[in-house]
Structures are given as C-alpha cells and as structure tokens.
Amino acid sequence: ASGRVELVRRDIGSVSASAAGAAGTVRLLAWLLLGLAVAAAAGGLWLSADRRRTVVGLGVGAAIAGVVLVVALDVARSVVIDDVSGAETRAAVGAIWDAFLRDLHTAAWILAGSGAVVAAAAASLIRPIDLNVPLRHAARWVVAEPSRPALRAVRGVALVAVGVLFVADRETVLRVAFTLAGVYLIYAGVSAILWLVYQPRPAAVRDAPKAASVGLKPGRRRPLIAGAVAALFIVVAVGAFVGNGGTSTASPPAGPCDGHRELCGRTLPEIVLPATHNSMSVPLPGWFSSVQERPIADQLHDGIRGLLIDTHYADRLGDGRLRTYFGERSKLRKVASQDGVSPESVDAALRLRERLGFRGEGERGMYLCHSFCELGGTRLDEVLDDLHDFLVANPGEVVVVINQDYVMPKDFVGAVDQAGLGDMVLTPPADGRWPTLRQMIDRNQRVVFLAENEAGAAPWYQLAYTSLTEETPYHFSQPAQLTRPAGLAASCRENRGPADAPLFLVNHWVTTDPLPLPSQASTVNASKPLLARLQECRRLRHHLPNLVAVNFYRRGDLFAVVDKLNGVG
C-alpha cells in the first residue's frame, strides 16, 4: 500500500556492534596502558643494578613485541582473506583490512625498529653485540639432531608444520621472514654505526679508580652520541608515520557536489535544487491524504534537495491519534490563512474534532503536519534523524529546508541539535558572500534551515522571507494557470520576500484540497510546461530559480528539467 517493498535487509550483527561500541574504551585503555608501560620501564631502570643492560633488555623486549604484532597482523590478514572466495571479494576484504589496520601494522614496525635501535645504542655503551654469533647458534640448533627421542619427535613435527605453512601460505611466510630480516638489518645497521663510537678502554684505564676516570671526555661523549643516534632514528621514523597520516583518518577524495562535479564551484544562489512542497505529506499510516509519493528519507535518496515542511505541536492521545495544539485561537486563524483555509472551515474542523473523540490527556511533541495533525502527522525527530543519516551517508550532498513553523524556535533548534545536525548547518552569510558547494562540503556545513514565522535560538536559524528568499505565488487551482503561456507571467509575479533576495523559490503545484490529484501533477511537472515556466520566471524576476517545489515529485520530469537549468543534463 505504501509502494515500498523491502528486498534486502542487512544487519552488522551484535558482535560487530559491540566491537564498535567498545572503541572508546579501547582508546582510553591504550593511553592508560602506555602510561603503565612507561612507568614500569622507569621503575625497572630505577631498581636496576646495571641500567645499561636493562635498557638493552627493554629495547629487545620492544623489538620482540613489535615483531609479534606485525606477524600476528599478517597471519590474521591471510586467514581473513582466505576465508572468502573469488578474486574480487578477496581484494575487497584485503582493502577493508588495510584501511582499518594498515596504520597499526606500520606502528608495530616502528615499535620493533625503535626497540632494535634502543637495544643497539645501549649495547654500544657496553660493547656492541654481534648478532651473527647468536644466529649461528640458532642455526646449529635447528639443524642438529637432538639426542633424546621426545625432542626428535617434537623437532620432526615442527619441521612438518613449517613445511606445510611454506606450501599453503607462502605470502604469510614471506611477510614474517621479511619482518625478521628487517628488524635484524635495523639492529645491524645501527650497531655498525655505533661501533665507531665504542672504543675499548686500555687496561690501565679500566683498572683505574672511578675518581680518576671521571675526567675522561670520550667516556662522557659516547653516551651522548649513542643516545643522539638512537633518538634521530626514532624521531625520523615516527615523524614519517605521523606526516603520512598514520594518526589521522585520511580524507576521502573530492567527489561530485549534489551529484555533479560541475556544481562544485557554484554557490546556492547559482544552482537549481529539486524540492517538494509539504514534504511530510506522504502515504504513511495515519495520513488522510498525501501530496508526495514517498517519505522524506526516500525523497532524499531519489534526489530531492529542498524540503518545504510544516511543524506543529500536537498531543498524542491514548488511542494513538494526534490532536493539534494551537494555543490561542488567533494562532489557529493564522495557520488557516497561510494554508488557504477559511474561518468557517476552521470552526467546522474543530467541531468535527470534538465529535470524533479527540479528547483527553496526551503526550505533547513536535510533529510535521499540514494545518491539522488530526489528518496526519510524522514526528519531527524521526525526520531530522533521517536527514542526519542521509547527510552522513552522502557527504557530497547539500539540502535546504524551509520550515513553516508553528513551534518555538528554541524547541526546533533543540531538536536539530538532538539529531546531531547542529554542527552540519550553514549560517547564511550576512555579507551575501555564499560559499561554494565544495566549500560547504569541505566544512561539512551542508544543510540550511530557514523559518517562515519565527527565527532565532541559533545564528543559523533565520527568517526565510525577510531577506534571504523571494518566491512566486502558491495558490493555483487549475493546471492551466501553470501551463498556459498567457498565464505564466501572472504565475511568476512577486509574492513573499524582497526582490534582491539571494534565493528564489518557485512554487509549482495545483491545490485541490481535500484530495490532491496526481494526474494534475503529471501535467504541470511534464518537461515542456515546467521548463517553460521556470525560464519565464527567470526572465521576469532576473533570478535563477534555486528551489523548484512540486507535488508528486515522481511524476513528470522534475529532475531532468533541474539538470537542464544547471547545465548538467
């Protein structure tokens, strides 16, 4: 009945959701554990009888930790990729893995390398360790046949396992081998440099009392040189990591603006946006009639970038029905006059409301309704959440909202902030120098909220028709008023807003309350009459139409006409 059919539904799952929710905790733990690690290292050095050897041990430990993390990430990546089939799928999984964890892999490499540098620097103050000796010992241990049968069995199983790994996952084996070789080369290179610093002291000097050796300048210089060499290597590595964006999220490449790269260099007053009149009036449960085919979330996905909405206070009664809260009768008269409803019709509607049982206590809230929420209403917060989700999911889109407001500005602004949209709103420039769409997108200020009646409570919530927007009339009862060439001039005459306003709203719909007629929208939204009227309004008003608001936006050629006016069709 709603015209929507759900084909696919995806859920990230409870495990993924829990992992995402734990991100903040993990980030906090990272800093706490780093502080504990530094404190433990300082405590170890304070208590150590031979601090140079302790530094060597700390460097070796850091190098081992970095190597283990690099190997673990490489193995895990291979396992995850091998778990899916198809070359394209594997490539996609690998790309996602790298997008999230490649920086961690690089950081682990830096940890391993820095540990090797620290160990080499500290060892140079004692005596640089020749790694070839322990490596030869390790090679002899691998090749030699153990004497005990149990050890022979363990060695045989280990060799078989390593052989299988070499055959089954050569990429992982190569990654591990290159990791170990890289750390070894770092240590060997730093050691080779620091061999130049190390000079064995003569026997007479070694045997001299401590007091006699204090004045030896070479003994003082060696720790400084070794520390400087180690610090230089580490600072260069960390600087390269940070400089390449290792600690920040890479910004996405600049894409199109509102679907077209040609629009990126233009401002809002220089482009045309497709819009819907009474955007909230859609075929949802509780709505008596509708003037649009799909809910606002779907309108946005279809390409609508201008929303004309009405906001009211309403009480949700115990039976689920809505009762509009107008406060004073004068406010109700104002609503009626703006929507073209006669005073007699208002009185009749109120009498009918009482007879139909819209009585009792209710929970007050803000709703999108047209004149009377008894005829249909949608919660404001739900629509703002949909708008927020759309803007987050589509970072290259810009949306304009004109609110026919019957709620307090502070309440509307509060709802916008509650939906997470407050930081995404553009404040109309006081000097008239509007940013380009690319600048709006880069600053993430991609939605404009304007009010018809009362503004304030935030700098960005300003009146639409005081200085920012001019419009055409909006009371048309016959399609001919919008399609007949002789009547186009009258349909484009000034209505609300000053003639020098930066934005121009063209109202383009036929009102046939209480039941809108989609067939009439098909007539007036057709390409030829719609384009002819917009071009005539542009000629007479000396302004490009910036918002083209229609009923039943899916009928006719709204999007094609907008593209043509923008020069992208």
Side-chain angles (χ1 to χ4, degrees):
S2 66
R4 300 181 65 190
V5 179
E6 186 176 280
L7 298 180
V8 178
R9 184 171 183 173
R10 294 291 177 87
D11 195 313
I12 65 173
S14 59
V15 176
S16 299
S18 299
T25 304
V26 171
R27 189 176 296 110
L28 177 61
L29 284 176
W31 288 105
L32 290 176
L33 292 175
L34 176 61
L36 287 175
V38 173
L45 288 170
W46 179 261
L47 297 174
S48 174
D50 189 340
R51 291 174 182 169
R52 290 176 181 174
R53 294 191 182 278
T54 301
V55 173
V56 175
L58 289 172
V60 171
I64 292 174
V67 169
V68 169
L69 186 53
V70 170
V71 172
L73 288 171
D74 287 336
V75 172
R77 185 180 188 276
S78 297
V79 170
V80 170
I81 293 177
D82 290 341
D83 193 48
V84 297
S85 59
E88 292 184 356
T89 306
R90 290 182 180 223
V93 172
I96 294 171
W97 178 280
D98 291 341
F100 282 95
L101 295 174
R102 176 54 58 184
D103 288 340
L104 180 60
H105 187 275
T106 305
W109 251 111
I110 292 176
L111 176 63
S114 300
V117 169
V118 169
S124 72
L125 300 176
I126 307 168
R127 184 180 186 278
I129 301 173
D130 185 2
L131 279 184
N132 293 323
V133 175
L135 288 177
R136 284 195 293 268
H137 285 306
R140 282 198 297 267
W141 180 81
V142 172
V143 175
E145 185 83 16
S147 57
R148 297 174 58 182
L151 292 178
R152 290 182 183 178
V154 172
R155 177 176 177 273
V157 172
L159 291 175
V160 170
V162 172
V164 171
L165 183 62
F166 271 61
V167 174
D169 200 344
R170 287 169 291 180
E171 183 179 350
T172 301
V173 172
L174 288 174
R175 285 176 178 270
V176 173
F178 276 105
T179 299
L180 296 174
V183 174
Y184 166 74
L185 291 174
I186 291 172
Y187 183 92
V190 175
S191 295
I193 295 173
L194 293 175
W195 267 102
L196 302 175
V197 179
Y198 174 75
Q199 291 180 358
R201 290 178 295 173
V205 176
R206 286 199 305 266
D207 297 336
K210 273 188 178 181
S213 63
V214 171
L216 290 176
K217 293 182 179 179
R220 289 183 175 180
R221 286 197 299 265
R222 285 192 293 114
L224 296 177
I225 295 174
V229 171
L232 178 63
F233 276 103
I234 294 173
V235 168
V236 169
V238 174
F241 178 64
V242 174
N244 287 320
T247 58
S248 62
T249 303
S251 60
C257 304
D258 268 359
H260 301 281
R261 294 185 183 275
E262 297 91 333
L263 303 182
C264 291
R266 307 183 199 175
T267 64
L268 278 178
E270 297 172 335
I271 65 170
V272 186
L273 297 177
T276 49
H277 160 246
N278 281 345
S279 309
M280 67 287 168
S281 180
V282 296
L284 289 176
W287 281 87
F288 174 72
S289 64
S290 63
V291 297
Q292 306 299 339
E293 297 94 333
R294 308 182 72 183
I296 288 177
D298 295 321
Q299 294 177 29
L300 293 169
H301 285 291
D302 286 345
I304 293 298
R305 296 295 177 264
L307 303 173
L308 277 59
I309 61 174
D310 297 13
T311 53
H312 293 266
Y313 293 114
D315 298 326
R316 181 169 289 279
L317 306 178
D319 58 3
R321 291 191 289 182
L322 295 175
R323 180 182 60 209
T324 314
Y325 174 76
F326 294 106
E328 301 175 0
R329 183 61 66 93
S330 60
K331 292 184 178 180
L332 173 57
R333 301 290 184 190
K334 181 179 180 180
V335 174
S337 63
Q338 287 184 333
D339 291 337
V341 181
S342 66
E344 295 77 12
S345 298
V346 171
D347 294 335
L350 291 177
R351 289 193 299 269
L352 181 61
R353 182 173 75 170
E354 292 301 317
R355 292 174 185 172
L356 292 177
F358 287 87
R359 303 191 185 109
E361 297 293 328
E363 181 180 356
R364 186 156 299 164
M366 290 182 287
Y367 290 84
L368 301 186
C369 318
H370 183 54
S371 301
F372 294 94
C373 296
E374 289 80 356
L375 302 178
T378 301
R379 289 183 61 91
L380 172 62
D381 57 356
E382 293 178 358
V383 172
L384 293 178
D385 286 342
D386 288 339
L387 176 57
H388 170 269
D389 293 346
F390 172 79
L391 290 173
V392 169
N394 299 272
E397 304 302 315
V398 174
V399 177
V400 176
V401 180
I402 298 181
N403 179 24
Q404 186 173 331
D405 52 305
Y406 303 104
V407 299
M408 297 295 292
K410 65 176 183 178
D411 292 337
F412 182 80
V413 169
V416 170
D417 290 335
Q418 186 67 30
L421 285 165
D423 294 334
M424 304 173 72
V425 183
L426 174 71
T427 300
D431 59 1
R433 299 173 60 183
W434 289 75
T436 64
L437 263 63
R438 171 57 63 203
Q439 291 171 331
M440 293 176 65
I441 291 168
D442 290 344
R443 299 168 187 170
N444 199 29
Q445 296 176 336
R446 298 182 288 119
V447 58
V448 176
F449 285 106
L450 302 177
E452 286 196 16
N453 300 315
E454 293 183 64
W460 47 261
Y461 193 42
Q462 301 183 14
L463 288 172
Y465 300 111
T466 299
S467 61
L468 294 173
T469 310
E470 58 176 313
E471 66 163 2
T472 66
Y474 51 83
H475 287 301
F476 303 105
S477 58
Q478 298 293 329
Q481 294 173 279
L482 299 175
T483 59
R484 192 175 63 243
L488 292 184
S491 76
C492 294
R493 63 179 175 79
E494 295 85 353
N495 195 31
R496 294 176 293 180
D500 59 349
L503 301 178
F504 180 25
L505 165 64
V506 174
N507 300 304
H508 190 84
W509 65 84
V510 179
T511 301
T512 56
D513 289 337
L515 292 177
L517 300 177
S519 59
Q520 293 185 344
S522 298
T523 299
V524 300
N525 293 350
S527 177
K528 186 175 180 180
L530 177 58
L531 180 61
R533 183 178 178 231
L534 293 178
Q535 290 175 332
E536 181 68 5
C537 290
R538 181 179 187 177
R539 185 184 69 82
L540 294 174
R541 301 289 290 272
H542 309 289
H543 200 310
L544 176 71
N546 303 120
L547 292 166
V548 181
V550 303
N551 284 351
F552 299 105
Y553 72 98
R554 292 171 66 88
R555 291 176 174 263
D557 303 287
L558 171 65
F559 298 108
V561 170
V562 167
D563 285 345
K564 187 173 184 63
L565 289 176
N566 280 324
V568 297

